[in-house]
Amino acid sequence: MKKTLQWLLKAFVAGCIALVLLCAFCMLYYNVPVHHNNPSGATDYVWESHKFYSRGIDGFALGRTNNEGHNNLSDYHEGDAIDILLMGSSNMEGFNVAQDKSTAAVINQLFEGEKFCYNIGTAGHTMLNNVKNLNDALDKYQPEEYVIIECISMDYDYEAVQAVVKGTFPDNASHSGGIIGLLQRLPYLRLFYTQFFKDGALAFGAGKDEPAAPAPAVEREYSEIVSPLLDMVAESCENHAVQPIIVYNNTLMLREDGSLYSSTDTDKLAAFSQLCEERGICFVNVIPSFIESYEQSHKLPYGFSNTSPGGGHMNAHGHSIFAAEVCAAIREMEA
């Protein structure tokens, strides 16, 4: 009995030492702040403020969140002037690239002080989440000119869109309290949970942000499904005197011969673009520029040296193209 207890004690101590060492390693390899509900409603949740983060599983990046918990190079204080508000998924959040290589940072570099873009892109926030939060985001930040909404799918479920319209679409949940909140502060356990539990991927800012829409129970015209969503965007932006810009951005596929192509339904893409135009929404499709750049430079807009080719999140090259397309669209509208 005594030997058994001694063995158990040694095993426990060894396990604790191993956990400490693994957590120390993950401080640089995979260190993600805890997120909590956003009281402003501009996003479903925000990360801890002024927290160091690092990512080594999908790109290599490290940085620090700002005072609001968003990924910006500067803090935000109530009343600060914002020209362009950026909303989107984990790609716009930009935790997978250097902070000065994210879309918002590159937009600011391209405008050279002429306009200021503030980023509230957040992992797990689909087009539906962002439209649901749009009024609150515009109320809080009061952008003077534009709001950019990233869109990474042309497929939408009718019932989900109706839930957004009715205000019943669910938020991304936060679990920052209790034992779960405590365990989230151990970097290795965060990594383990993200890698081995499907539901944990979204909670910790990994995985896909825009799931494919399920097959509809009733066949409906595409415009009938999407129009209410775009109506909400147009109405919210009109009420806040701001110009909406929806930017379509989706992963691309590699053929066996190395060429790049998009699996987007071209009919839906054309219909979505037309519906935006009818409502005064500027629609920007960055996919052709992604493909053109790849054909010229053989650089993929998605993926890193530690992901499959073209897999994972948007890389710095993709962010630079995205930002350039947005700036070009804005300059064209202002010409």
Side-chain angles (χ1 to χ4, degrees):
M1 185 66 178
K2 183 178 179 180
K3 289 184 177 181
T4 300
L5 291 175
Q6 288 177 338
W7 184 89
L8 290 174
L9 179 61
K10 290 178 180 179
F12 175 76
V13 172
C16 290
I17 293 173
L19 179 61
V20 168
L21 292 175
L22 287 168
C23 285
F25 170 74
C26 286
M27 287 292 290
L28 289 177
Y29 180 67
Y30 187 79
N31 186 6
V32 182
V34 176
H35 63 69
H36 54 84
N37 294 331
N38 188 348
S40 75
T43 56
D44 291 351
Y45 65 79
V46 289
W47 303 101
E48 294 174 294
S49 63
H50 291 149
K51 287 292 183 179
F52 170 80
Y53 69 82
S54 61
R55 299 285 181 96
I57 62 172
D58 185 1
F60 298 95
L62 51 84
R64 184 176 292 274
T65 59
N66 74 351
N67 64 315
E68 289 199 308
H70 293 303
N71 189 16
N72 288 277
L73 291 171
S74 60
D75 287 344
Y76 171 80
H77 302 95
E78 187 174 354
D80 286 354
I82 293 175
D83 299 296
I84 305 168
L85 182 67
L86 176 60
M87 305 178 72
S89 67
S90 55
N91 285 312
M92 293 300 97
E93 186 176 57
F95 278 155
N96 303 84
V97 298
Q99 285 190 290
D100 62 350
K101 301 296 183 183
S102 71
T103 291
V106 176
I107 288 175
N108 286 329
Q109 292 164 18
L110 291 174
F111 277 120
E112 298 180 320
E114 178 186 347
K115 299 182 190 297
F116 174 68
C117 177
Y118 188 73
N119 177 29
I120 61 169
T122 308
H125 283 56
T126 67
M127 174 80 171
L128 299 180
N129 293 98
N130 288 314
V131 174
K132 170 180 66 70
N133 297 331
L134 182 58
N135 259 322
D136 289 331
L138 295 178
D139 283 342
K140 176 175 174 60
Y141 295 105
Q142 301 180 11
E144 297 180 4
E145 299 184 58
Y146 303 96
V147 59
I148 301 168
I149 306 173
E150 180 201 25
C151 167
I152 60 176
S153 177
M154 288 290 111
D155 296 315
Y156 293 94
D157 174 57
Y158 176 78
E159 297 300 331
V161 171
Q162 289 302 306
V164 174
V165 173
K166 296 173 183 176
T168 59
F169 191 77
D171 289 348
N172 288 306
S174 286
H175 305 284
S176 55
I179 186 65
I180 296 179
L182 178 63
L183 293 177
Q184 287 186 62
R185 297 181 185 281
L186 299 176
Y188 175 69
L189 294 185
R190 296 287 295 277
L191 175 62
F192 180 85
Y193 191 63
T194 298
Q195 289 180 326
F196 293 100
F197 292 87
K198 181 179 179 181
D199 292 339
L202 182 59
F204 299 145
K208 295 184 179 296
D209 286 290
E210 192 91 47
V218 178
E219 287 293 332
R220 299 181 185 276
E221 292 292 331
Y222 185 70
S223 61
E224 181 185 0
I225 298 172
V226 176
S227 290
L229 196 67
L230 298 180
D231 287 339
M232 284 188 67
V233 173
E235 182 179 357
S236 294
C237 291
E238 182 179 2
N239 291 339
H240 290 84
V242 65
Q243 171 64 49
I245 303 174
I246 294 178
V247 186
Y248 180 56
N249 159 45
N250 202 348
T251 52
L252 299 169
M253 311 293 228
L254 280 168
R255 296 188 179 93
E256 289 186 2
D257 63 1
S259 60
L260 200 62
Y261 72 97
S262 171
S263 60
T264 302
D265 185 313
T266 54
D267 290 337
K268 289 181 178 179
L269 183 62
F272 192 96
S273 177
Q274 179 62 34
L275 292 169
C276 285
E277 183 178 348
E278 291 170 0
R279 288 157 178 79
I281 299 171
C282 175
F283 179 71
V284 178
N285 177 14
V286 300
I287 302 302
S289 293
F290 281 167
I291 294 176
E292 181 183 1
S293 175
Y294 174 74
E295 290 174 347
Q296 293 176 352
S297 66
H298 303 292
K299 292 181 180 179
L300 291 165
Y302 276 76
F304 303 88
S305 60
N306 55 354
T307 66
S308 59
H313 286 83
M314 188 188 294
N315 56 36
H317 183 63
H319 279 275
S320 67
I321 295 174
F322 189 109
E325 288 294 301
V326 169
C327 291
I330 289 175
R331 294 195 185 282
E332 183 177 345
M333 283 189 284
E334 295 182 350

